[in-house]
Amino acid sequence: MSEGVQLEESTPNTSVLPFNLYPDVLLQTNNGSNPVQPTSPAFPTFLFLFLRIGFVIRVLVIPIACLGLVTNPINMVVFSKLLDNDTVSVSLFGMSLSDFLVCFTTLLGCIGEFEEVQKVLLYYLSINPREMVYLCVVFPSVHFVRVTLMISAFITLERCLCVAMPLKVKLIFTSRRCKIIMFFCFLIALSTAVPYYYTYIFTWTHYPPLNRSILGYTSKNGYKEIVKYSGPFVIIFFWVLFILIVICTGILIVVLNKKRNWRQSVTSTTTASKESNQVTSKELKVIKMMVMVASLFIVCNIPTSSIYIANEIDPSISMEGSKNYLYYLLGYFAILFQTFNSSVNIFIYYFYSTNYRVNFNKRFGIQEKEETKKPLETKDNS
């Protein structure tokens, strides 16, 4: 998670990595060799807890990310059968793809944080592990999370418009246009990484303990200027979309409750009324599913929101600030919750979407229950 690595010019030790695994504020070094214990008696205790929490979270993230590597391809397979007939399936297919990439890059990032893996990268491949893992794995993961953020905002906004003006929205958001929107969601989110990558250059740096050069990166002169101007844009980008998701989700919950109350108050025995109720029931299921997906996204992004709020309150809570240990601690929880959000949507889709469940069962040869078959047979016979 750290941007750089502090290389030490001491004799290499086979049992300990010759560089700091955690922020330099936490581990101050004396002449670049041995850690210096802080004078405050409370700080070592906090440092110990920080290291343990970070280790535990990394261990928890790995199985959750592996779950996402299984569930998201399943989602893409199921939704691929519905792309031409359902605009929601197009959006959910795009979200499953971005979630898969989040889980994949997060898994590699967590594995790369372990000391044994970093030893292999440093001693056998001559790669600066901290820098290369950050640049090639952690950094892309952040941008794939932004893709999920944009798609979530689009889905909730489209559902709100569908409730407000259903006939017009169906003509505006066709399946083809939704595919184009998904493409631009990936393009826009990933394009935000271009200025940062432009300032990085791969370089070989001589490493005295091993008496050879290792591959890392360095930044150009314009790095600070790019961070200065692009940082506020990224924050505004997150908050606008996050607030949009919260507002649209609140509107959908209100609409869901109103329609449920209306259905309970209306009783009719005519065939037309029954068909109308069936359509309303289908809309309610879609809205309920999207409310669950959006609510899960909102809850799982609370740690990320906390990072931005904490930085606004106290600017020293940042990657390079004096309280960067709090920044990293919140970052650990943000990674855990975002990976969880990217891995468990399959359960919401299965239990709240009839189309998804039917196609899932058909695809994997699962026998459907009789009560699920009857409504489909009745509709076909009519």
Side-chain angles (χ1 to χ4, degrees):
M1 294 174 61
S2 174
E3 279 206 29
V5 174
Q6 181 176 350
L7 299 177
E8 300 175 5
E9 300 183 5
S10 60
T11 305
N13 189 339
T14 57
S15 61
V16 181
L17 279 177
F19 52 84
N20 293 338
L21 293 175
Y22 298 96
D24 295 337
V25 171
L26 293 177
L27 293 176
Q28 301 293 335
T29 57
N30 183 15
N31 296 326
S33 57
N34 300 318
V36 176
Q37 295 297 330
T39 56
S40 173
F43 192 81
T45 302
F46 175 81
L47 173 59
F48 175 79
L49 293 176
F50 175 86
L51 299 180
R52 293 304 95 196
I53 290 174
F55 176 80
V56 169
I57 289 180
R58 289 201 303 275
V59 172
L60 290 176
V61 166
I62 289 177
I64 296 175
C66 291
L67 174 65
L69 295 181
V70 176
T71 58
N72 286 297
I74 293 175
N75 291 337
M76 288 187 280
V77 169
V78 175
F79 287 129
S80 64
K81 303 297 181 182
L82 307 171
L83 294 180
D84 296 329
N85 302 321
D86 187 10
T87 57
V88 175
S89 297
V90 175
S91 302
L92 295 179
F93 179 90
M95 181 183 289
S96 299
L97 177 58
S98 64
D99 285 341
F100 173 81
L101 295 172
V102 169
C103 293
F104 179 71
T105 51
T106 301
L107 177 63
L108 293 181
C110 288
I111 293 176
E113 287 285 326
F114 287 101
E115 183 177 331
E116 292 75 13
V117 177
Q118 296 196 355
K119 284 181 180 179
V120 172
L121 294 176
L122 180 64
Y123 291 113
Y124 297 100
L125 300 180
S126 297
I127 291 176
N128 190 322
R130 295 290 296 177
E131 293 186 359
M132 299 304 293
V133 167
Y134 174 81
L135 191 63
C136 301
V137 179
V138 178
F139 203 50
S141 178
V142 173
H143 295 280
F144 290 131
V145 170
R146 290 175 187 169
V147 176
T148 302
L149 174 65
M150 293 186 67
I151 296 177
S152 300
F154 170 74
I155 292 175
T156 53
L157 179 61
E158 188 263 347
R159 282 296 96 189
C160 283
L161 295 176
C162 188
V163 170
M165 41 183 184
L167 298 179
K168 292 183 179 180
V169 169
K170 290 181 180 179
L171 296 176
I172 297 174
F173 294 107
T174 61
S175 177
R176 182 174 178 274
R177 289 174 181 173
C178 284
K179 292 176 183 177
I180 296 174
I181 292 173
M182 292 301 103
F183 172 78
F184 276 99
C185 284
F186 278 87
L187 184 63
I188 293 172
L190 295 179
S191 64
T192 59
V194 173
Y196 290 93
Y197 276 109
Y198 176 75
T199 61
Y200 291 132
I201 303 175
F202 290 108
T203 58
W204 289 92
T205 305
H206 181 65
Y207 188 44
L210 298 180
N211 195 26
R212 64 170 181 253
S213 298
I214 61 174
L215 181 63
Y217 72 84
T218 184
S219 57
K220 297 180 181 178
N221 295 330
Y223 174 77
K224 292 184 178 180
E225 287 74 15
I226 289 178
V227 171
K228 177 182 178 181
Y229 292 106
S230 61
F233 169 77
V234 171
I235 295 174
I236 295 173
F237 177 83
F238 172 83
W239 277 115
V240 169
L241 294 181
F242 186 75
I243 292 173
L244 178 63
I245 294 172
V246 173
I247 294 174
C248 291
T249 303
I251 294 173
L252 290 177
I253 292 174
V254 173
V255 171
L256 187 66
N257 291 331
K258 284 186 178 180
K259 288 202 172 188
R260 184 186 292 112
N261 295 334
W262 176 80
R263 289 186 62 208
Q264 292 175 352
S265 62
V266 173
T267 347
S268 178
T269 57
T270 62
T271 306
S273 296
K274 288 181 179 179
E275 292 179 355
S276 177
N277 287 338
Q278 288 177 0
V279 173
T280 305
S281 176
K282 182 180 178 180
E283 291 177 355
L284 288 176
K285 288 182 179 179
V286 175
I287 293 175
K288 192 172 184 179
M289 181 184 70
M290 297 318 305
V291 166
M292 293 296 295
V293 172
S295 299
L296 177 65
F297 181 86
I298 292 171
V299 171
C300 291
N301 274 270
I302 289 177
T304 305
S305 305
S306 301
I307 294 176
Y308 292 120
I309 294 174
N311 181 258
E312 287 295 324
I313 296 175
D314 187 353
S316 63
I317 304 177
S318 61
M319 184 178 294
E320 298 178 353
S322 60
K323 297 180 181 177
N324 63 352
Y325 51 88
L326 293 178
Y327 175 87
Y328 281 86
L329 189 61
L330 291 173
Y332 281 134
F333 284 101
I335 292 172
L336 175 63
F337 279 83
Q338 286 173 351
T339 308
F340 180 81
N341 174 70
S342 298
S343 303
V344 301
N345 282 331
I346 187 173
F347 302 107
I348 298 177
Y349 301 150
Y350 189 84
F351 289 106
Y352 288 94
S353 174
T354 303
N355 284 339
Y356 182 93
R357 184 166 56 252
V358 170
N359 282 275
F360 180 92
N361 293 339
K362 185 186 298 184
R363 183 73 180 178
F364 296 98
I366 300 176
Q367 187 66 30
E368 299 177 30
K369 296 181 180 180
E370 293 298 325
E371 54 267 24
T372 306
K373 290 182 178 181
K374 286 181 180 180
L376 297 176
E377 293 173 357
T378 305
K379 183 178 179 180
D380 293 338
N381 292 336
S382 61

